[in-house]
Amino acid sequence: MENSPTPNEKYLHDFTYHGKAYSVSEAKEVLSPYLDGSGSVDLEKDDNGIAKICLNNPRLKNAISVKMMLDLDKITDKLYQWTECKGAILYGTDGNFCSGGDLKLAKEMNNPLNGYAMSVYMGHILDKFKKLPIITVAYIDGTGALGGGAEVTTACDYRLMCNVAETTGIGFVHSKMGIVPAWGSTGRLVSIMGSAKKGIGPIVGGPDAGRR
């Protein structure tokens, strides 16, 4: 299921690799050698029409692997098909939300084509998730939502911080690693915070997060 982007969203992923624009299916094919089975995203449906979506990679504080991307893609399609669904809660196992992308995987995939393919595929998934006709909430606790985890929260309607500790926050920490947000979150942040807001670089937590 591949939703066509609206004119206002199309710019998020309207770019090419050496002059070629890869489709979502082509991007998935590029990523397929890295489908190593690390982690999962699990769906639980309750009788009240609420979907509970668990990021499940506790060894890496729920860092996102290629398999988890594929799982989230399939789950998002299932939510479109579940006509009784009213809302979804996205959370992480073992008291942590998501520490970002799997850095070991990123090192293994360290070439421009792989990076481009991941951007196309994960950007597509999060755009599709954001368009779900239900209320979606990111339940953030533990180490919070960092890097790619912060990008994931922008695809939800609401971001709820619970059991807040000093380390809990939403952090677009990409610049510390010499990279930029590549999953479409920059455009989504504008719709959440407004174009005049500043401060997407540091980790935002507690009361500050509630104001942004």
Side-chain angles (χ1 to χ4, degrees):
M1 179 177 180
E2 297 185 13
N3 292 351
S4 298
T6 66
N8 288 334
E9 294 169 326
K10 188 173 185 297
Y11 75 95
L12 291 174
H13 305 294
D14 190 11
F15 58 99
T16 64
Y17 177 75
H18 288 194
K20 173 179 170 56
Y22 279 62
S23 67
V24 172
S25 58
E26 288 173 322
K28 286 172 66 176
E29 182 64 27
V30 171
L31 298 175
S32 61
Y34 302 96
L35 194 61
D36 62 358
S38 173
S40 64
V41 181
D42 306 316
L43 173 64
E44 177 186 348
K45 299 178 180 179
D46 73 16
D47 295 335
N48 297 314
I50 302 300
K52 299 175 183 177
I53 306 168
C54 179
L55 303 175
N56 187 9
N57 194 4
R59 184 174 62 85
L60 299 176
K61 295 185 178 179
N62 304 320
I64 296 173
S65 65
V66 173
K67 180 182 182 301
M68 292 171 72
M69 294 178 190
L70 185 64
D71 287 349
L72 183 58
D73 191 11
K74 292 178 179 177
I75 285 172
T76 303
D77 286 345
K78 288 180 180 179
L79 295 183
Y80 274 102
Q81 296 162 6
W82 184 20
T83 56
E84 293 81 14
C85 187
K86 300 173 183 175
I89 301 171
L90 181 64
Y91 69 101
T93 193
D94 267 16
N96 292 300
F97 183 73
C98 178
S99 61
D102 183 338
L103 296 182
K104 180 181 178 183
L105 174 67
K107 186 176 181 180
E108 294 173 358
M109 297 177 63
N110 188 21
N111 70 61
L113 177 57
N114 287 336
Y116 170 81
M118 182 180 289
S119 178
V120 169
Y121 186 43
M122 193 61 179
H124 162 77
I125 295 167
L126 295 182
D127 285 348
K128 184 168 61 173
F129 191 89
K130 183 173 176 59
K131 295 175 188 175
L132 281 166
I134 58 174
I135 296 172
T136 55
V137 178
Y139 181 98
I140 304 164
D141 59 354
T143 54
L146 304 177
E151 295 202 61
V152 169
T153 70
T154 66
C156 295
D157 296 316
Y158 299 97
R159 286 143 292 280
L160 176 64
M161 287 194 189
C162 299
N163 303 320
V164 175
E166 288 186 8
T167 57
T168 306
I170 301 173
F172 288 82
V173 295
H174 306 69
S175 61
K176 294 182 179 180
M177 297 180 285
I179 59 176
V180 297
W183 295 350
S185 64
T186 306
R188 289 189 292 270
L189 268 177
V190 172
S191 66
I192 294 168
M193 300 173 63
S195 59
K197 289 286 187 180
K198 302 292 191 296
I200 67 168
I203 298 175
V204 179
D208 286 338
R211 292 195 292 266
R212 299 187 181 198

